[in-house]
Amino acid sequence: MVKVTLDNVSKFFGKVRAVTDLNLEVGDGEFVALLGPSGCGKTTTLLMIAGIYRPSRGRILFDNEDVTGLPPKDRNVGMVFQSYALYPHMTVYDNIAFPLKLKKVPKQEIDRKVRKVAKLLRIDNLLARRPGQLSGGQQQRVALGRALAKEPDVLLLDEPLSNLDAKLRILMRAELKRLQKELRVTTVYVTHDQVEAMSMADRIAVMNAGKLQQYADPQGLYNKPANLFVAGFIGSPPMNFVEGSIREDLSGGYYFDAGAFKFKLPKELGELISSKSIDVVMGFRPEHVKLSLNREEYSIEGQVYVVEPLGRDIVVNVKVGDMLFKVVTKPGVELRPGQRIWLVLDVDKIHFFDKFNERAIV
Amino acid sequence: MARARGSLRRRLLRAKLAAVIKYLVVVVVAVVPLFPIWSMIAWLLIQSFSGRVILGLIPSSLTINNWRFLWSPIKMGLKEYPNIWPITFNTLLLALGVSGLVVLVSTMSGYALSRMEFRGRTALMEFIIALHAFPSVILLIALFVILNKLGLYGKGYMTLLGIVLIKAGLEIPMASWIIKGFFDSIPWDLEWAALVDGCSRWRAWRSVIVPLVLPGIGAISIFSFLAGWSEFLLVFTYVKDEAYYTLPVLIYHMIGEFKFIDWGMLAALGLFFTIPTLIFFSTSQKLLLRIYVGGVKR
């Protein structure tokens, strides 16, 4: 097991900047997710760690040893591709044994390792088949087996669950996490699915447009998003945003003016924000709002627009001016479209971002 | 009600009729073009085993006299040609040489054209296909000069080797193009997986990529084998010693030099000429046209 360090790594394809000045440290045995929308450079980053792409600038270190110029075969990494990339002309057994054969492991040793890994992944009854005769979930496990059998220093996973159906995905999520903890192998996991990243990873690196947005543990990302992008990307349904400005009233109190509504702020909060910026974006999560039929302190008045029942929760869309806010609440209260309602915000869980540089203020 | 049912029956009948006509058309289209080819092969077969043929169709008096070239030298008038077996060997040498060289070069060049980024790749590919547009006839004189300078003219097997080089050179452009298409269809993921698993690029090519383009290799090996096997012009022009003739040239001489033509033997020779081709076809088909699917989600 090793510690992986990306030191100011950039990758350009012609004029396209796929990854820019990325600094990242993955601890020994840690499970890190690279999270971001498609085309954000996360797979490129993974391929650089694997050694398939050579960084245009910067260094990649395994345990403080520079591996930037090393070809993939000398890095001892295992990788599961989004497409699985199983060798179609080989049986499952040969697929898993292939990296071991290349390492010149003795035949009996190969056999023992292949069977062990196959048993671990519950594919020991499929060893004689070819990939074309397997289901998606089975292929995925074979791909994982091939990556694990060589006992890699670093395990790289590129959206390994995205081709599975929803039920199997949830099952494999837990399996993968258990396996990673059991084997204690340093793992980098690429995904665009925030639920996958949140549920599996020790730490998450959120990327957008080739740049690292925030690198923190799941709770940190959820509670303290560093900027507007992270705030909007983490959480489902996503955070509600509203642009406005901070103003002082005659009595010295502060309020947030969004045009369609004014929202009174606690004095310390108002002072803190206005000392940094006047033009801000306010954000609050749908689950941090209480609905009330009467005006309360720290509330916004609106109208019920539409109600989406989800079984365990309901999502209420509330119209304020010409803005729509989503609110997650428990079912039970009868709500009619057009009904007048107040959104009571939890003041401690409101986020403010600078409108211009999009960084978090509070 | 009754009228409705009647019309239903009529519609069913019409549908059946339409189906029958459709099948008839398909059968005609599929069978008619085969008919002349098969009838010619049948004629060859009949002709080669009969002493006399009435009206060119009906055989009479069974004989194997037409196949005498298999065990004795061929005499045409005063001229005596070498035994058929050395000539068959020459032909096989030429065909396998061309086939082997084409497969070796085009699997590598096709891979490079498909996978490697280099300046002028598109231009090179267009140029390559333009090369194929030149028929070998117009190159005969220039090639003769080159063969002569290289000392490959009039040197027996060395001349055949020269012809192998020429013929392979003419076949490689198209073969590279064909095999490039096969390489294109292999996803990068597979090659990357091989690299991550511990292959060098060469090893990945050998162990993972080439097995997956076997159908393509099968196709170009058949094409180039046939091209070498039936090559006439180059051998006819450059080989003057009868010991190094190939079958097409020998067959030509059976027709060309004398007024009298032994049709029976010509038919037998023609049939003999097709046998190795058929063997090569059937074996390489079985061996090489194995297509693996799956294992890579797209």
Side-chain angles (χ1 to χ4, degrees), chain B residues 38-54 56-63 66-67 263-264 267-268 271:
Chain B
W38 280 112
S39 60
M40 274 190 282
I41 291 169
W43 180 83
L44 270 182
L45 198 68
I46 293 163
Q47 180 88 307
S48 69
F49 283 108
S50 47
R52 228 161 48 86
V53 181
I54 302 154
L57 258 182
I58 305 132
S60 67
S61 72
L62 189 70
T63 173
N66 291 327
W67 291 87
W263 287 109
L271 213 56

Side-chain angles (χ1 to χ4, degrees), chain B residues 4-152:
Chain B
R5 190 172 292 162
S7 80
L8 185 69
R9 194 174 294 161
R10 212 179 307 143
R11 262 184 287 167
L12 267 172
L13 199 73
R14 208 178 297 157
K16 254 182 208 164
L17 202 71
V20 167
I21 290 169
K22 251 186 266 172
Y23 277 108
L24 260 175
V25 170
V26 169
V27 166
V28 166
V29 168
V31 172
V32 166
L34 285 179
F35 183 73
I37 299 172
W38 280 112
S39 60
M40 274 190 282
I41 291 169
W43 180 83
L44 270 182
L45 198 68
I46 293 163
Q47 180 88 307
S48 69
F49 283 108
S50 47
R52 228 161 48 86
V53 181
I54 302 154
L55 290 173
L57 258 182
I58 305 132
S60 67
S61 72
L62 189 70
T63 173
I64 51 164
N65 187 40
N66 291 327
W67 291 87
R68 66 186 178 277
F69 60 84
L70 289 177
W71 53 85
S72 61
I74 302 161
K75 283 196 197 107
M76 286 295 263
L78 295 172
K79 211 165 156 73
E80 187 172 300
Y81 286 95
N83 194 297
I84 192 83
W85 296 111
I87 290 187
T88 308
F89 176 73
N90 293 343
T91 320
L92 208 58
L93 211 65
L94 180 66
L96 288 176
V98 171
S99 180
L101 203 60
V102 166
V103 167
L104 188 74
V105 175
S106 56
T107 44
M108 289 194 273
S109 64
Y111 176 82
L113 286 174
S114 163
R115 282 292 206 257
M116 295 180 175
E117 294 279 341
F118 51 87
R119 195 185 292 243
R121 181 171 70 160
T122 327
L124 181 66
M125 278 168 51
E126 282 159 7
F127 181 67
I128 282 175
I129 205 70
L131 272 183
H132 198 74
F134 291 97
S136 49
V137 188
I138 62 163
L139 302 172
L140 276 180
I141 296 169
L143 284 171
F144 173 75
V145 174
I146 294 171
L147 274 185
N148 212 358
K149 289 261 183 230
L150 287 174
L152 292 175

